[in-house]
Amino acid sequence: MAHVSVIGAQWGDEGKGKIVDWLSSRAEVVARFQGGHNAGHTLVIDGEVYKLSLLPSGIVREGKLSVIGSGVVIDPVAFSKEVASLEGQGVKISPVNLAIAENACLILPMHGELDRLREEAAGKAKIGTTGRGIGPAYEDKVGRRAIRVADLRNPEDLGPRIDRLLTHHNALRRGFGAEPIEASSVQDQLVQAAEALLPFATPVWRLLDEARRAGKRILFEGAQGVLLDVDHGTFPFVTSSNTVAGQSATGTGLGKAGDAYGLGIVKAYTTRVGSGPFPTELHDEVGQRLGERGHEFGTVTGRQRRCGWFDAALVRQSLVTAGIDGIALTKLDVLDGFETLKVCVGYRIGAERFDYLPSGMREQEQAEPIYEELPGWQGSTAGARSWAELPAEAVKYVRRIEELVERPVALVSTSPEREDVILMKDPFES
């Protein structure tokens, strides 16, 4: 049985939630392996809209095991709110269908406060984070002062851990002119966290290994996108974790996850939230049209996304660094009615031409897109579920993207609805 790792191949917001949900009908286990509740996945099922930030997309399907791996940083308050919201929509959540890695690190209120203090102090130089404490939580993990889910089982041992954590955070808070945090308030937060998380806590690496040995299909669900990867993205305007396919092994404890089929989710145009370079960004009526038709507002923050033409050079680069075998092309229907479409095939930086985006900030800021024009189509692709239902020009557009990014298109999504998908190649059979 093959496993599949679903990765966003742009700056996030590519439609991973729907694709993961659609693929989960073919899998028994769905596992998150990085990020936190800054991820926003929207699912539309029989007209019902489900908004997920932390829980794996498989949680809305009965009979599936959802796993939050150790590569994820967990906010207990956000977790409890999301569980309550989904249960209010009729989704049943219990230790039977949800497991949390006992070695996952926590996001506490101090992390979000530090995140926001930094962004406010940065002014125009801000990164554009969601302010939810993801970055500071990962910093504490790497700094070996984080509190993990398993630590909550022994509250009598938390005192020294809290003191170590506050030695660091209160020093930073003094620099920002913020009030220090009392250890007793953190102790209270951790008691509440224990109530929310411990019923689901388990060694998920063992669960996943047992599932693999039993021949069950595992779907690994990524958050954000490759261009936000802390190593391979448009640094420093990136997230705080690795978003590539290889992280599915590290972030779950299942080494064999590295053998999974890498499916890159790619929007038929390009969007980005927050600050940072965006060579194909459009500031005209075309960009506005893409944003309006694509409903380009962040699931988590509500921020309007920046929009632009499809960047084949950047996607090709991200597919290589992320370990992607094939792509799922989403939101093709948003391009319906355009007379002409443009695709970026490279960049001009000064007198030089590049077929990739260099890592230097100055080069990224100066990169001018080199476009190839393709004919648009007047027919509708919305709701198409077979190749034959697409206008001829839409087929040509998809085929040209395949050529430019040097990966086959495995799936095409033609609306937010779960079943509006054209299957070209089943990733689980690859």
Side-chain angles (χ1 to χ4, degrees):
M1 291 286 189
H3 307 306
V4 176
S5 183
V6 175
I7 306 296
Q10 292 160 307
W11 277 294
D13 309 312
E14 303 94 348
K16 295 182 292 296
K18 172 190 169 173
I19 299 301
V20 169
D21 174 57
W22 190 83
L23 287 171
S24 66
S25 66
R26 295 162 168 77
E28 287 79 28
V29 183
V30 182
R32 276 280 307 272
F33 57 84
Q34 50 79 219
H37 64 302
N38 55 342
H41 293 172
T42 301
L43 310 180
V44 181
I45 302 171
D46 298 329
E48 183 83 17
V49 178
Y50 300 91
K51 294 184 180 293
L52 307 177
S53 295
L54 180 60
L55 296 177
S57 297
I59 198 70
V60 299
R61 283 188 179 269
E62 292 186 11
K64 309 294 179 183
L65 173 63
S66 290
V67 171
I68 298 177
S70 59
V72 178
V73 284
I74 302 173
D75 183 324
V77 176
F79 171 81
S80 296
K81 288 181 178 178
E82 191 167 324
V83 168
S85 176
L86 289 174
E87 288 181 335
Q89 293 182 276
V91 179
K92 296 179 181 179
I93 301 175
S94 74
V96 174
N97 66 342
L98 177 64
I100 296 176
E102 61 182 5
N103 53 334
C105 296
L106 302 182
I107 302 174
L108 299 174
M110 70 179 77
H111 294 118
E113 292 169 12
L114 178 58
D115 206 351
R116 293 186 290 274
L117 286 169
R118 284 174 170 169
E119 284 287 87
E120 291 167 6
K124 293 183 179 180
K126 64 183 180 180
I127 300 297
T129 76
T130 60
R132 282 162 166 70
I134 312 299
Y138 274 117
E139 289 176 36
D140 283 344
K141 176 180 180 177
V142 175
R144 294 162 293 182
R145 56 183 168 264
I147 294 175
R148 305 194 298 176
V149 174
D151 299 329
L152 302 175
R153 294 193 180 110
N154 302 293
E156 67 278 4
D157 296 335
L158 287 173
R161 305 293 300 276
I162 295 172
D163 291 341
R164 174 175 167 79
L165 191 62
L166 291 182
T167 297
H168 175 78
H169 277 266
N170 281 337
L172 293 175
R173 293 173 70 87
R174 283 194 295 272
F176 286 109
E179 292 293 321
I181 298 171
E182 297 293 334
S184 58
S185 68
V186 179
Q187 183 81 39
D188 292 342
Q189 292 163 11
L190 294 176
V191 170
Q192 295 176 16
E195 294 176 1
L197 300 178
L198 285 182
F200 303 93
T202 190
V204 302
W205 59 268
R206 187 170 63 183
L207 277 181
L208 292 172
D209 185 56
E210 290 171 352
R212 181 189 67 82
R213 291 173 180 272
K216 295 181 179 180
R217 290 173 167 175
I218 304 171
L219 186 60
F220 298 94
E221 179 181 7
Q224 291 88 40
V226 177
L227 299 176
L228 293 175
D229 184 277
V230 69
D231 285 309
H232 304 291
T234 49
F235 191 89
F237 304 100
V238 294
T239 193
S240 302
S241 61
N242 288 111
T243 60
V244 296
Q247 181 64 18
S248 57
T250 307
T252 62
L254 183 66
K256 287 293 184 179
D259 299 331
Y261 179 93
L263 181 67
I265 314 303
V266 178
K267 197 176 288 186
Y269 49 101
T270 309
T271 63
R272 177 167 197 169
V273 171
S275 307
F278 186 170
T280 66
E281 184 174 10
L282 298 170
H283 300 281
D284 56 14
E285 64 278 4
V286 174
Q288 184 176 351
R289 181 179 176 185
L290 288 171
E292 290 174 352
R293 295 200 61 187
H295 305 290
E296 296 298 348
F297 294 91
T299 301
V300 171
T301 63
R303 290 183 294 179
Q304 186 171 357
R305 297 174 186 139
R306 301 152 64 189
C307 298
W309 294 119
F310 185 81
D311 193 333
L314 203 51
V315 169
R316 181 174 62 246
Q317 179 177 338
S318 70
L319 298 183
V320 172
T321 58
I324 299 302
D325 300 294
I327 67 173
L329 190 68
T330 66
K331 290 200 168 184
L332 185 65
D333 54 304
V334 174
L335 299 182
D336 290 354
F338 281 90
E339 185 175 342
T340 302
L341 302 171
K342 293 183 180 181
V343 175
C344 176
V345 296
Y347 314 98
R348 189 171 287 105
I349 304 175
E352 292 188 71
R353 178 170 175 154
F354 293 80
D355 63 357
Y356 69 97
L357 189 65
S359 297
M361 289 181 62
R362 176 176 294 184
E363 288 83 358
Q364 291 180 353
E365 291 172 355
Q366 296 176 347
E368 298 180 5
I370 299 171
Y371 285 119
E372 176 180 307
E373 292 193 358
L374 297 169
W377 53 89
Q378 297 307 306
S380 175
T381 65
R385 299 184 182 181
S386 71
W387 197 241
E389 295 178 57
L390 297 180
E393 293 80 5
V395 174
K396 291 177 183 177
Y397 183 77
V398 174
R399 290 304 190 196
R400 183 56 179 150
I401 285 178
E402 280 187 317
E403 294 173 354
L404 291 171
V405 304
E406 299 176 357
R407 296 293 188 279
V409 173
L411 304 166
V412 178
S413 172
T414 57
S415 93
E417 292 291 339
R418 172 189 278 177
E419 299 304 327
D420 289 343
V421 172
I422 301 171
L423 178 62
M424 318 276 294
K425 180 182 179 65
D426 191 336
F428 282 114
E429 301 299 332
S430 301

